[in-house]
mmCIF file of all heavy atoms in Angstrom:
data_model
loop_
_atom_site.group_PDB
_atom_site.id
_atom_site.type_symbol
_atom_site.label_atom_id
_atom_site.label_comp_id
_atom_site.label_asym_id
_atom_site.label_seq_id
_atom_site.Cartn_x
_atom_site.Cartn_y
_atom_site.Cartn_z
ATOM 1 N N THR A 1 128.662 105.822 -2.547
ATOM 2 C CA THR A 1 127.553 104.873 -2.584
ATOM 3 C C THR A 1 128.098 103.546 -3.090
ATOM 4 O O THR A 1 128.053 103.243 -4.264
ATOM 5 C CB THR A 1 126.420 105.379 -3.494
ATOM 6 O OG1 THR A 1 126.066 106.691 -3.099
ATOM 7 C CG2 THR A 1 125.195 104.475 -3.388
ATOM 8 N N ARG A 2 128.647 102.754 -2.172
ATOM 9 C CA ARG A 2 129.248 101.482 -2.563
ATOM 10 C C ARG A 2 128.373 100.298 -2.187
ATOM 11 O O ARG A 2 128.695 99.160 -2.489
ATOM 12 C CB ARG A 2 130.634 101.322 -1.952
ATOM 13 C CG ARG A 2 130.638 101.300 -0.442
ATOM 14 C CD ARG A 2 132.055 101.144 0.098
ATOM 15 N NE ARG A 2 132.017 100.846 1.506
ATOM 16 C CZ ARG A 2 131.838 99.643 2.030
ATOM 17 N NH1 ARG A 2 131.695 98.606 1.250
ATOM 18 N NH2 ARG A 2 131.806 99.455 3.323
ATOM 19 N N ASN A 3 127.263 100.554 -1.517
ATOM 20 C CA ASN A 3 126.355 99.486 -1.106
ATOM 21 C C ASN A 3 125.262 99.284 -2.146
ATOM 22 O O ASN A 3 124.688 100.252 -2.647
ATOM 23 C CB ASN A 3 125.686 99.825 0.236
ATOM 24 C CG ASN A 3 126.684 99.988 1.347
ATOM 25 O OD1 ASN A 3 127.602 99.199 1.487
ATOM 26 N ND2 ASN A 3 126.512 101.029 2.145
ATOM 27 N N VAL A 4 124.964 98.018 -2.431
ATOM 28 C CA VAL A 4 123.891 97.662 -3.349
ATOM 29 C C VAL A 4 123.057 96.582 -2.689
ATOM 30 O O VAL A 4 123.601 95.605 -2.172
ATOM 31 C CB VAL A 4 124.440 97.136 -4.700
ATOM 32 C CG1 VAL A 4 123.299 96.748 -5.632
ATOM 33 C CG2 VAL A 4 125.358 98.162 -5.350
ATOM 34 N N VAL A 5 121.744 96.772 -2.682
ATOM 35 C CA VAL A 5 120.817 95.758 -2.177
ATOM 36 C C VAL A 5 119.945 95.321 -3.341
ATOM 37 O O VAL A 5 119.301 96.147 -3.993
ATOM 38 C CB VAL A 5 119.964 96.291 -1.004
ATOM 39 C CG1 VAL A 5 118.870 95.305 -0.626
ATOM 40 C CG2 VAL A 5 120.851 96.590 0.201
ATOM 41 N N LEU A 6 119.923 94.009 -3.603
ATOM 42 C CA LEU A 6 119.185 93.426 -4.723
ATOM 43 C C LEU A 6 117.934 92.723 -4.212
ATOM 44 O O LEU A 6 117.997 91.958 -3.239
ATOM 45 C CB LEU A 6 120.076 92.418 -5.458
ATOM 46 C CG LEU A 6 121.421 92.962 -5.962
ATOM 47 C CD1 LEU A 6 122.302 91.818 -6.452
ATOM 48 C CD2 LEU A 6 121.209 93.993 -7.050
ATOM 49 N N VAL A 7 116.793 92.964 -4.882
ATOM 50 C CA VAL A 7 115.507 92.381 -4.484
ATOM 51 C C VAL A 7 114.952 91.580 -5.658
ATOM 52 O O VAL A 7 114.770 92.124 -6.752
ATOM 53 C CB VAL A 7 114.502 93.476 -4.056
ATOM 54 C CG1 VAL A 7 113.184 92.858 -3.630
ATOM 55 C CG2 VAL A 7 115.087 94.328 -2.930
ATOM 56 N N HIS A 8 114.669 90.305 -5.430
ATOM 57 C CA HIS A 8 114.203 89.414 -6.497
ATOM 58 C C HIS A 8 112.720 89.578 -6.780
ATOM 59 O O HIS A 8 111.978 90.210 -6.039
ATOM 60 C CB HIS A 8 114.519 87.952 -6.146
ATOM 61 C CG HIS A 8 113.806 87.432 -4.937
ATOM 62 N ND1 HIS A 8 112.493 87.029 -4.951
ATOM 63 C CD2 HIS A 8 114.236 87.252 -3.667
ATOM 64 C CE1 HIS A 8 112.146 86.611 -3.748
ATOM 65 N NE2 HIS A 8 113.183 86.742 -2.946
ATOM 66 N N GLY A 9 112.289 88.945 -7.870
ATOM 67 C CA GLY A 9 110.893 88.959 -8.270
ATOM 68 C C GLY A 9 110.067 87.926 -7.532
ATOM 69 O O GLY A 9 110.544 87.254 -6.617
ATOM 70 N N GLY A 10 108.820 87.792 -7.946
ATOM 71 C CA GLY A 10 107.853 86.983 -7.219
ATOM 72 C C GLY A 10 107.938 85.489 -7.394
ATOM 73 O O GLY A 10 107.537 84.744 -6.523
ATOM 74 N N PHE A 11 108.443 84.986 -8.504
ATOM 75 C CA PHE A 11 108.433 83.544 -8.756
ATOM 76 C C PHE A 11 109.825 82.937 -8.710
ATOM 77 O O PHE A 11 110.052 81.852 -9.223
ATOM 78 C CB PHE A 11 107.781 83.256 -10.117
ATOM 79 C CG PHE A 11 106.367 83.764 -10.191
ATOM 80 C CD1 PHE A 11 106.057 84.867 -10.962
ATOM 81 C CD2 PHE A 11 105.360 83.158 -9.462
ATOM 82 C CE1 PHE A 11 104.761 85.347 -11.028
ATOM 83 C CE2 PHE A 11 104.059 83.629 -9.515
ATOM 84 C CZ PHE A 11 103.759 84.726 -10.295
ATOM 85 N N VAL A 12 110.767 83.652 -8.105
ATOM 86 C CA VAL A 12 112.151 83.203 -8.001
ATOM 87 C C VAL A 12 112.664 83.503 -6.603
ATOM 88 O O VAL A 12 111.912 83.974 -5.751
ATOM 89 C CB VAL A 12 113.046 83.895 -9.063
ATOM 90 C CG1 VAL A 12 112.635 83.513 -10.459
ATOM 91 C CG2 VAL A 12 113.002 85.409 -8.908
ATOM 92 N N ASP A 13 113.936 83.244 -6.360
ATOM 93 C CA ASP A 13 114.525 83.644 -5.084
ATOM 94 C C ASP A 13 115.810 84.426 -5.349
ATOM 95 O O ASP A 13 116.161 84.702 -6.492
ATOM 96 C CB ASP A 13 114.745 82.446 -4.152
ATOM 97 C CG ASP A 13 115.834 81.497 -4.624
ATOM 98 O OD1 ASP A 13 116.516 81.791 -5.621
ATOM 99 O OD2 ASP A 13 116.004 80.459 -3.973
ATOM 100 N N GLY A 14 116.490 84.780 -4.285
ATOM 101 C CA GLY A 14 117.671 85.623 -4.396
ATOM 102 C C GLY A 14 118.804 85.042 -5.206
ATOM 103 O O GLY A 14 119.667 85.778 -5.691
ATOM 104 N N SER A 15 118.823 83.715 -5.388
ATOM 105 C CA SER A 15 119.920 83.098 -6.133
ATOM 106 C C SER A 15 119.960 83.556 -7.591
ATOM 107 O O SER A 15 121.008 83.477 -8.238
ATOM 108 C CB SER A 15 119.829 81.572 -6.060
ATOM 109 O OG SER A 15 118.678 81.102 -6.735
ATOM 110 N N GLY A 16 118.844 84.064 -8.097
ATOM 111 C CA GLY A 16 118.812 84.566 -9.469
ATOM 112 C C GLY A 16 119.715 85.770 -9.693
ATOM 113 O O GLY A 16 120.040 86.099 -10.825
ATOM 114 N N TRP A 17 120.131 86.425 -8.610
ATOM 115 C CA TRP A 17 121.014 87.588 -8.697
ATOM 116 C C TRP A 17 122.489 87.202 -8.676
ATOM 117 O O TRP A 17 123.353 88.065 -8.674
ATOM 118 C CB TRP A 17 120.756 88.538 -7.533
ATOM 119 C CG TRP A 17 119.527 89.369 -7.644
ATOM 120 C CD1 TRP A 17 118.413 89.291 -6.854
ATOM 121 C CD2 TRP A 17 119.276 90.450 -8.551
ATOM 122 N NE1 TRP A 17 117.499 90.236 -7.213
ATOM 123 C CE2 TRP A 17 118.001 90.973 -8.261
ATOM 124 C CE3 TRP A 17 120.016 91.013 -9.589
ATOM 125 C CZ2 TRP A 17 117.457 92.030 -8.968
ATOM 126 C CZ3 TRP A 17 119.466 92.073 -10.284
ATOM 127 C CH2 TRP A 17 118.197 92.568 -9.974
ATOM 128 N N ARG A 18 122.840 85.918 -8.649
ATOM 129 C CA ARG A 18 124.226 85.485 -8.447
ATOM 130 C C ARG A 18 125.218 86.134 -9.414
ATOM 131 O O ARG A 18 126.277 86.613 -9.006
ATOM 132 C CB ARG A 18 124.331 83.957 -8.520
ATOM 133 C CG ARG A 18 125.721 83.415 -8.242
ATOM 134 C CD ARG A 18 126.155 83.855 -6.856
ATOM 135 N NE ARG A 18 127.571 83.695 -6.668
ATOM 136 C CZ ARG A 18 128.097 83.083 -5.629
ATOM 137 N NH1 ARG A 18 127.323 82.579 -4.696
ATOM 138 N NH2 ARG A 18 129.388 82.997 -5.517
ATOM 139 N N ALA A 19 124.915 86.129 -10.694
ATOM 140 C CA ALA A 19 125.855 86.695 -11.671
ATOM 141 C C ALA A 19 126.058 88.195 -11.439
ATOM 142 O O ALA A 19 127.183 88.701 -11.515
ATOM 143 C CB ALA A 19 125.376 86.428 -13.091
ATOM 144 N N VAL A 20 124.976 88.907 -11.133
ATOM 145 C CA VAL A 20 125.065 90.349 -10.857
ATOM 146 C C VAL A 20 125.860 90.582 -9.570
ATOM 147 O O VAL A 20 126.717 91.463 -9.509
ATOM 148 C CB VAL A 20 123.652 90.962 -10.756
ATOM 149 C CG1 VAL A 20 123.709 92.414 -10.314
ATOM 150 C CG2 VAL A 20 122.923 90.827 -12.091
ATOM 151 N N TYR A 21 125.580 89.772 -8.563
ATOM 152 C CA TYR A 21 126.311 89.849 -7.291
ATOM 153 C C TYR A 21 127.813 89.719 -7.550
ATOM 154 O O TYR A 21 128.608 90.522 -7.071
ATOM 155 C CB TYR A 21 125.816 88.738 -6.357
ATOM 156 C CG TYR A 21 126.605 88.601 -5.075
ATOM 157 C CD1 TYR A 21 126.227 89.303 -3.934
ATOM 158 C CD2 TYR A 21 127.709 87.760 -5.006
ATOM 159 C CE1 TYR A 21 126.943 89.176 -2.754
ATOM 160 C CE2 TYR A 21 128.433 87.633 -3.832
ATOM 161 C CZ TYR A 21 128.045 88.338 -2.710
ATOM 162 O OH TYR A 21 128.774 88.214 -1.539
ATOM 163 N N ASP A 22 128.199 88.692 -8.306
ATOM 164 C CA ASP A 22 129.624 88.457 -8.572
ATOM 165 C C ASP A 22 130.263 89.636 -9.297
ATOM 166 O O ASP A 22 131.377 90.052 -8.951
ATOM 167 C CB ASP A 22 129.802 87.175 -9.395
ATOM 168 C CG ASP A 22 129.490 85.910 -8.602
ATOM 169 O OD1 ASP A 22 129.451 85.951 -7.348
ATOM 170 O OD2 ASP A 22 129.274 84.865 -9.249
ATOM 171 N N LEU A 23 129.577 90.201 -10.293
ATOM 172 C CA LEU A 23 130.114 91.344 -11.028
ATOM 173 C C LEU A 23 130.277 92.578 -10.133
ATOM 174 O O LEU A 23 131.299 93.265 -10.182
ATOM 175 C CB LEU A 23 129.216 91.681 -12.216
ATOM 176 C CG LEU A 23 129.237 90.700 -13.383
ATOM 177 C CD1 LEU A 23 128.098 91.021 -14.356
ATOM 178 C CD2 LEU A 23 130.578 90.734 -14.093
ATOM 179 N N LEU A 24 129.270 92.853 -9.328
ATOM 180 C CA LEU A 24 129.331 94.022 -8.446
ATOM 181 C C LEU A 24 130.411 93.866 -7.381
ATOM 182 O O LEU A 24 131.125 94.817 -7.057
ATOM 183 C CB LEU A 24 127.970 94.279 -7.799
ATOM 184 C CG LEU A 24 126.880 94.781 -8.738
ATOM 185 C CD1 LEU A 24 125.519 94.748 -8.048
ATOM 186 C CD2 LEU A 24 127.196 96.176 -9.242
ATOM 187 N N ARG A 25 130.541 92.672 -6.830
ATOM 188 C CA ARG A 25 131.588 92.416 -5.824
ATOM 189 C C ARG A 25 132.972 92.588 -6.450
ATOM 190 O O ARG A 25 133.864 93.167 -5.837
ATOM 191 C CB ARG A 25 131.439 91.018 -5.232
ATOM 192 C CG ARG A 25 130.217 90.819 -4.362
ATOM 193 C CD ARG A 25 130.333 91.484 -3.026
ATOM 194 N NE ARG A 25 131.431 90.863 -2.307
ATOM 195 C CZ ARG A 25 132.054 91.412 -1.283
ATOM 196 N NH1 ARG A 25 131.686 92.592 -0.839
ATOM 197 N NH2 ARG A 25 133.053 90.802 -0.688
ATOM 198 N N ALA A 26 133.130 92.091 -7.661
ATOM 199 C CA ALA A 26 134.423 92.229 -8.351
ATOM 200 C C ALA A 26 134.757 93.694 -8.608
ATOM 201 O O ALA A 26 135.932 94.056 -8.683
ATOM 202 C CB ALA A 26 134.407 91.444 -9.662
ATOM 203 N N ASP A 27 133.727 94.527 -8.687
ATOM 204 C CA ASP A 27 133.910 95.962 -8.919
ATOM 205 C C ASP A 27 134.112 96.731 -7.615
ATOM 206 O O ASP A 27 134.226 97.943 -7.621
ATOM 207 C CB ASP A 27 132.701 96.504 -9.686
ATOM 208 C CG ASP A 27 132.962 97.848 -10.340
ATOM 209 O OD1 ASP A 27 134.100 98.093 -10.775
ATOM 210 O OD2 ASP A 27 132.026 98.656 -10.400
ATOM 211 N N GLY A 28 134.090 96.029 -6.483
ATOM 212 C CA GLY A 28 134.352 96.674 -5.198
ATOM 213 C C GLY A 28 133.124 97.083 -4.413
ATOM 214 O O GLY A 28 133.245 97.736 -3.378
ATOM 215 N N SER A 29 131.959 96.700 -4.863
ATOM 216 C CA SER A 29 130.729 97.062 -4.157
ATOM 217 C C SER A 29 130.447 96.075 -3.021
ATOM 218 O O SER A 29 130.808 94.903 -3.095
ATOM 219 C CB SER A 29 129.535 97.055 -5.116
ATOM 220 O OG SER A 29 129.702 98.033 -6.106
ATOM 221 N N HIS A 30 129.776 96.557 -1.991
ATOM 222 C CA HIS A 30 129.250 95.707 -0.927
ATOM 223 C C HIS A 30 127.830 95.363 -1.353
ATOM 224 O O HIS A 30 127.008 96.263 -1.558
ATOM 225 C CB HIS A 30 129.242 96.447 0.409
ATOM 226 C CG HIS A 30 128.564 95.693 1.485
ATOM 227 N ND1 HIS A 30 127.260 95.922 1.841
ATOM 228 C CD2 HIS A 30 129.000 94.679 2.267
ATOM 229 C CE1 HIS A 30 126.914 95.091 2.814
ATOM 230 N NE2 HIS A 30 127.951 94.324 3.084
ATOM 231 N N VAL A 31 127.537 94.077 -1.526
ATOM 232 C CA VAL A 31 126.265 93.659 -2.094
ATOM 233 C C VAL A 31 125.515 92.756 -1.129
ATOM 234 O O VAL A 31 126.082 91.818 -0.569
ATOM 235 C CB VAL A 31 126.473 92.903 -3.435
ATOM 236 C CG1 VAL A 31 125.124 92.580 -4.072
ATOM 237 C CG2 VAL A 31 127.336 93.721 -4.380
ATOM 238 N N SER A 32 124.226 93.053 -0.948
ATOM 239 C CA SER A 32 123.335 92.202 -0.155
ATOM 240 C C SER A 32 122.167 91.798 -1.047
ATOM 241 O O SER A 32 121.697 92.592 -1.869
ATOM 242 C CB SER A 32 122.793 92.958 1.058
ATOM 243 O OG SER A 32 123.842 93.351 1.907
ATOM 244 N N ILE A 33 121.714 90.563 -0.875
ATOM 245 C CA ILE A 33 120.564 90.069 -1.623
ATOM 246 C C ILE A 33 119.456 89.781 -0.623
ATOM 247 O O ILE A 33 119.649 89.008 0.324
ATOM 248 C CB ILE A 33 120.906 88.804 -2.424
ATOM 249 C CG1 ILE A 33 122.019 89.100 -3.437
ATOM 250 C CG2 ILE A 33 119.663 88.264 -3.119
ATOM 251 C CD1 ILE A 33 122.524 87.888 -4.185
ATOM 252 N N VAL A 34 118.304 90.403 -0.819
ATOM 253 C CA VAL A 34 117.151 90.191 0.063
ATOM 254 C C VAL A 34 116.485 88.876 -0.329
ATOM 255 O O VAL A 34 116.207 88.645 -1.507
ATOM 256 C CB VAL A 34 116.147 91.360 -0.058
ATOM 257 C CG1 VAL A 34 114.918 91.105 0.800
ATOM 258 C CG2 VAL A 34 116.815 92.672 0.316
ATOM 259 N N GLN A 35 116.239 88.040 0.641
ATOM 260 C CA GLN A 35 115.516 86.790 0.403
ATOM 261 C C GLN A 35 114.092 87.000 0.913
ATOM 262 O O GLN A 35 113.767 86.692 2.056
ATOM 263 C CB GLN A 35 116.200 85.620 1.120
ATOM 264 C CG GLN A 35 115.638 84.267 0.764
ATOM 265 C CD GLN A 35 115.781 83.932 -0.716
ATOM 266 O OE1 GLN A 35 116.772 84.209 -1.362
ATOM 267 N NE2 GLN A 35 114.752 83.333 -1.275
ATOM 268 N N ASN A 36 113.253 87.572 0.045
ATOM 269 C CA ASN A 36 111.868 87.863 0.432
ATOM 270 C C ASN A 36 111.054 86.587 0.583
ATOM 271 O O ASN A 36 111.178 85.674 -0.233
ATOM 272 C CB ASN A 36 111.195 88.745 -0.619
ATOM 273 C CG ASN A 36 111.618 90.181 -0.510
ATOM 274 O OD1 ASN A 36 111.832 90.682 0.578
ATOM 275 N ND2 ASN A 36 111.739 90.844 -1.628
ATOM 276 N N PRO A 37 110.161 86.547 1.571
ATOM 277 C CA PRO A 37 109.276 85.390 1.703
ATOM 278 C C PRO A 37 108.160 85.382 0.656
ATOM 279 O O PRO A 37 107.539 84.357 0.433
ATOM 280 C CB PRO A 37 108.709 85.529 3.111
ATOM 281 C CG PRO A 37 108.852 86.962 3.464
ATOM 282 C CD PRO A 37 110.046 87.472 2.697
ATOM 283 N N THR A 38 107.904 86.501 0.010
ATOM 284 C CA THR A 38 106.861 86.704 -1.005
ATOM 285 C C THR A 38 105.476 86.246 -0.538
ATOM 286 O O THR A 38 104.696 85.701 -1.308
ATOM 287 C CB THR A 38 107.210 86.056 -2.371
ATOM 288 O OG1 THR A 38 107.333 84.649 -2.225
ATOM 289 C CG2 THR A 38 108.472 86.649 -2.955
ATOM 290 N N LEU A 39 105.179 86.510 0.731
ATOM 291 C CA LEU A 39 103.845 86.231 1.258
ATOM 292 C C LEU A 39 102.943 87.448 1.171
ATOM 293 O O LEU A 39 101.733 87.328 1.044
ATOM 294 C CB LEU A 39 103.933 85.737 2.704
ATOM 295 C CG LEU A 39 104.691 84.421 2.897
ATOM 296 C CD1 LEU A 39 104.816 84.097 4.380
ATOM 297 C CD2 LEU A 39 104.013 83.292 2.148
ATOM 298 N N SER A 40 103.552 88.643 1.278
ATOM 299 C CA SER A 40 102.800 89.887 1.146
ATOM 300 C C SER A 40 103.767 91.007 0.795
ATOM 301 O O SER A 40 104.955 90.939 1.138
ATOM 302 C CB SER A 40 102.059 90.235 2.445
ATOM 303 O OG SER A 40 102.966 90.669 3.435
ATOM 304 N N LEU A 41 103.257 92.027 0.139
ATOM 305 C CA LEU A 41 104.093 93.172 -0.203
ATOM 306 C C LEU A 41 104.612 93.844 1.064
ATOM 307 O O LEU A 41 105.786 94.194 1.146
ATOM 308 C CB LEU A 41 103.315 94.166 -1.071
ATOM 309 C CG LEU A 41 104.050 95.435 -1.478
ATOM 310 C CD1 LEU A 41 105.338 95.118 -2.242
ATOM 311 C CD2 LEU A 41 103.135 96.322 -2.306
ATOM 312 N N ASP A 42 103.755 94.002 2.064
ATOM 313 C CA ASP A 42 104.195 94.626 3.318
ATOM 314 C C ASP A 42 105.319 93.828 3.971
ATOM 315 O O ASP A 42 106.300 94.391 4.455
ATOM 316 C CB ASP A 42 103.027 94.769 4.297
ATOM 317 C CG ASP A 42 102.061 95.868 3.900
ATOM 318 O OD1 ASP A 42 102.455 96.768 3.138
ATOM 319 O OD2 ASP A 42 100.906 95.822 4.363
ATOM 320 N N GLY A 43 105.168 92.506 3.989
ATOM 321 C CA GLY A 43 106.196 91.656 4.582
ATOM 322 C C GLY A 43 107.511 91.732 3.828
ATOM 323 O O GLY A 43 108.587 91.790 4.430
ATOM 324 N N ASP A 44 107.426 91.752 2.506
ATOM 325 C CA ASP A 44 108.635 91.835 1.693
ATOM 326 C C ASP A 44 109.313 93.193 1.855
ATOM 327 O O ASP A 44 110.539 93.273 1.923
ATOM 328 C CB ASP A 44 108.308 91.572 0.230
ATOM 329 C CG ASP A 44 107.839 90.142 0.001
ATOM 330 O OD1 ASP A 44 108.082 89.275 0.862
ATOM 331 O OD2 ASP A 44 107.210 89.883 -1.047
ATOM 332 N N ALA A 45 108.533 94.257 1.959
ATOM 333 C CA ALA A 45 109.104 95.586 2.183
ATOM 334 C C ALA A 45 109.755 95.656 3.562
ATOM 335 O O ALA A 45 110.818 96.267 3.717
ATOM 336 C CB ALA A 45 108.031 96.659 2.038
ATOM 337 N N THR A 46 109.158 95.004 4.548
ATOM 338 C CA THR A 46 109.739 94.978 5.903
ATOM 339 C C THR A 46 111.089 94.268 5.896
ATOM 340 O O THR A 46 112.061 94.762 6.472
ATOM 341 C CB THR A 46 108.770 94.301 6.896
ATOM 342 O OG1 THR A 46 107.588 95.095 6.974
ATOM 343 C CG2 THR A 46 109.387 94.145 8.266
ATOM 344 N N VAL A 47 111.159 93.109 5.244
ATOM 345 C CA VAL A 47 112.424 92.372 5.160
ATOM 346 C C VAL A 47 113.468 93.217 4.431
ATOM 347 O O VAL A 47 114.627 93.288 4.854
ATOM 348 C CB VAL A 47 112.211 91.007 4.465
ATOM 349 C CG1 VAL A 47 113.541 90.327 4.162
ATOM 350 C CG2 VAL A 47 111.341 90.099 5.316
ATOM 351 N N THR A 48 113.073 93.889 3.376
ATOM 352 C CA THR A 48 113.998 94.741 2.623
ATOM 353 C C THR A 48 114.489 95.890 3.484
ATOM 354 O O THR A 48 115.689 96.210 3.491
ATOM 355 C CB THR A 48 113.316 95.246 1.335
ATOM 356 O OG1 THR A 48 112.925 94.109 0.554
ATOM 357 C CG2 THR A 48 114.244 96.129 0.520
#
């Protein structure tokens, strides 16, 4: 399990995960950050 997908909160965007992304990548993980539109829970779950 080397893949990690990060999902941000409602009042921010994916850039808030930058430090975590860098640490996980340095550890050899494949990391993706979801950029949710935060218009609806269904829409955000679909993007994820």
Side-chain angles (χ1 to χ4, degrees):
T1 307
R2 62 180 192 83
N3 299 316
V4 179
V5 172
L6 304 170
V7 181
H8 64 79
F11 301 108
V12 296
D13 69 6
S15 66
W17 284 113
R18 183 59 196 230
V20 173
Y21 173 91
D22 290 343
L23 289 169
L24 290 169
R25 291 286 297 160
D27 198 34
S29 296
H30 173 262
V31 185
S32 298
I33 299 174
V34 177
Q35 188 61 40
N36 283 324
T38 62
L39 297 175
S40 73
L41 178 58
D42 287 339
D44 294 342
T46 296
V47 171
T48 301

